Amino acid sequence: MIKSLFAGTALILLSSGFALATEAGTTVSTPCPFGDCAAAISLAYAGEFDIATGTKVDGVELGGLSGIDFDPATGHYIAISDDRSEKAPARFYELSIDASAAGIKDVKVLRTVTLKTEKGEAFAAKAVDPEAIRLGKDGIYWTSEGDAKQLLPPFVHVARPDGSFLREFTLPQGFAPTADNTSGIRNNLAFEGLAFLPNGDVMVQTESALNQDGPISSLTTGALARMIRYDAASGEPKAEYVYPVEPISQAPKKEKGWNDNGVPEILALDDHRLLVIERGFAEGFGTSIKLFMIDTEGATDVSAIASLVKTDQPIVPVRKSQVLDMRALGLEPDNIEGMTFAKGTDGSDLLLFVADNNFSAQQKTQFYAFKVLKRP
C-alpha cells in the first residue's frame, strides 16, 4: 500500500449508460469449493456502470482498462490501459468510483499517469502491452505481455507513483518468445494476471499455455497455463504452478468464426487461495465470464520442467472450483479483464470488475460490483 499516491488531481466526470442485467441482491454461493468448506465464498450482485467507447480524458480516448486495484489509504483506484502507446503513451489512471452494496453511481478519472522505461522515457508505440496492475508496499507493480511476433518478452515492472521505472523482475527460463515458436509465450497470451499474496509474494498468471506446454484451449480440450510465484522484494521467481484452463464453452455462430478462452486476471484471497477469471469469446455469441477459486497447496512446482507435455514427472495442478458464471446469473458481461477487492462508500466489502473495451464502438468500459458476503 502506498499512502497519498497522488496530489493536485484533475477531476473528470464520466457519463454512464446504466442498465441492470439482473436484480441487485441476487446471491451466488459456493459453500465448499473443491470440497474445502473453510474456503466458502458468497457474493451478492450490486450493480453495473458503463462508459461509452469514445469518451475522452484530456483529449485522449479512455479505454482498454485491463487491470484495476484499490488503494485503501485513499479510497481511490488505479486502472491500467492496454493501449500499446499508440493512442497516447502507455499509462494508468487514478479513479474515484462511487460503489456500494446498492450499486455503482459514478466513475471519475482523477489523473492520468504515464509509465516510463528504465531510461525515464515514455514507451514507444508497440514497444509495450500493459495488462495488469497492483499496489505494493514499495511501488506500483504492472505487467506487459510483450509481443511474440516482435520477439519482445513479457515483463513485470515496479514503478514509482509518478510512473517512473524502479526495477524489473527476472523472467524465468522458457518464457521468452522464440522465432520458431518452439518455446516461450504465444502472442497476446502472456502475462495477464497479477496478484499480491498476504505474505508478500507476487503471483503472475499467463493467459494460456506456453508453446512448449501444449495447445491452447479448443471446444474439446483445455490448456495448461503457468502461474509464477515471485519473491516481491528481490523480483526472483520462487516456483511455478500449472493452472488448467477450461475448454472453450461456446462455438461461434458462423462457420470458421473466432472463439477462444483464457485467463485475464487473478486476485489473492490468502497465501494459497486465489480467484481466477476465465474469459471466453465466441463470434456471434459474445463474451462468457466465469470466476474460479484455486488453491496452490499441494500443487507441483514445475519451474524445473521444461515442457508440461514432454515429461515423465507426475504433475499435480492447482485445485480449482467454479464460484461464479456471470451469464448464468443473468448478466451480459463485456470483455472483463480486471478485478479487485475494495471498500464501498457505505463501508461494505466489494469485489469489483472492469472490462477492456478494446477501443471498439461495439464494446464498452463496463464495471460490475458484488458485495462480498463471505470469503476465505
Side-chain angles (χ1 to χ4, degrees):
M1 179 178 69
I2 302 174
K3 296 183 178 180
S4 301
L5 273 175
F6 305 101
T9 56
L11 185 65
I12 297 147
L13 297 175
L14 299 175
S15 60
S16 165
F18 185 84
L20 272 177
T22 194
E23 185 178 353
T26 300
T27 301
V28 57
S29 299
T30 307
C32 298
F34 32 73
D36 181 4
C37 297
I41 186 168
S42 183
L43 306 170
Y45 175 69
E48 175 184 348
F49 188 96
D50 301 333
I51 300 169
T53 295
T55 300
K56 291 189 175 183
V57 176
D58 296 330
V60 177
E61 185 176 349
L62 178 73
L65 301 189
S66 58
I68 191 168
D69 205 20
F70 177 71
D71 182 359
T74 63
H76 296 161
Y77 299 74
I78 55 173
I80 198 166
S81 173
D82 69 0
D83 173 24
R84 300 186 181 193
S85 280
E86 294 178 291
K87 294 181 179 294
R91 61 204 176 275
F92 68 88
Y93 298 97
E94 183 191 12
L95 305 178
S96 173
I97 301 176
D98 186 352
S100 70
I104 308 175
K105 293 183 179 179
D106 68 3
V107 176
K108 302 171 184 177
V109 176
L110 304 176
R111 193 181 180 191
T112 304
V113 180
T114 300
L115 292 162
K116 301 292 181 61
T117 68
E118 189 173 356
K119 295 180 179 179
E121 302 168 345
F123 284 88
K126 298 184 179 180
V128 67
D129 184 4
E131 289 294 346
I133 192 166
R134 295 291 177 199
L135 286 168
K137 293 180 180 179
D138 59 338
I140 294 169
Y141 290 60
W142 64 283
T143 69
S144 169
E145 275 199 305
D147 189 321
K149 293 181 179 179
Q150 297 186 69
L151 298 183
L152 290 175
F155 63 68
V156 180
H157 277 191
V158 184
R160 298 180 180 90
D162 64 0
S164 60
F165 175 87
L166 193 58
R167 58 192 175 94
E168 182 174 355
F169 279 23
T170 298
L171 185 68
Q173 284 190 335
F175 285 81
T178 54
D180 59 4
N181 295 323
T182 55
S183 64
I185 60 166
R186 286 179 159 97
N187 199 52
N188 208 32
L189 294 175
F191 286 3
E192 281 271 352
L194 182 66
F196 264 101
L197 302 183
N199 68 4
D201 285 352
V202 172
M203 306 293 279
V204 176
Q205 176 69 52
T206 55
E207 185 171 351
S208 193
L210 301 176
N211 278 300
Q212 67 269 31
D213 288 337
I216 61 175
S217 292
S218 69
L219 287 168
T220 56
T221 60
L224 302 177
R226 294 197 186 221
M227 173 183 283
I228 308 168
R229 187 185 195 115
Y230 278 102
D231 176 78
S234 67
E236 294 297 323
K238 298 173 65 174
E240 294 174 23
Y241 310 112
V242 175
Y243 177 84
V245 183
E246 298 291 297
I248 301 170
S249 60
Q250 175 71 39
K253 290 195 172 181
K254 69 176 185 179
E255 189 176 358
K256 297 182 179 180
W258 176 258
N259 63 349
D260 65 3
N261 190 50
V263 178
E265 188 59 286
I266 59 177
L267 181 64
L269 289 160
D270 54 30
D271 285 334
H272 56 96
R273 301 185 186 101
L274 298 96
L275 295 178
V276 179
I277 299 173
E278 288 196 28
R279 175 206 51 217
F281 177 80
E283 194 171 349
F285 174 79
T287 306
S288 298
I289 300 295
K290 295 180 181 179
L291 186 67
F292 294 85
M293 184 187 296
I294 67 166
D295 193 335
T296 62
E297 276 197 346
T300 304
D301 176 5
V302 296
S303 56
I305 298 177
S307 169
L308 300 178
V309 292
K310 295 180 181 179
T311 180
D312 294 329
Q313 298 183 48
I315 295 174
V316 178
V318 298
R319 292 191 295 166
K320 175 181 178 183
S321 183
Q322 183 176 309
V323 298
L324 172 66
D325 181 335
M326 288 192 178
R327 278 190 172 266
L329 199 63
L331 302 174
E332 296 181 3
D334 210 306
N335 181 37
I336 300 291
E337 289 207 356
M339 66 174 163
T340 182
F341 287 119
K343 187 65 71 173
T345 54
D346 60 348
S348 59
D349 293 318
L350 300 177
L351 177 60
L352 191 137
F353 298 87
V354 67
D356 170 4
N357 69 346
N358 291 312
F359 296 97
S360 168
Q362 285 71 50
Q363 295 180 261
K364 56 195 174 185
T365 298
Q366 178 188 59
F367 296 83
Y368 280 133
F370 287 78
K371 183 178 181 181
V372 180
L373 304 176
K374 189 172 185 179
R375 52 157 286 191

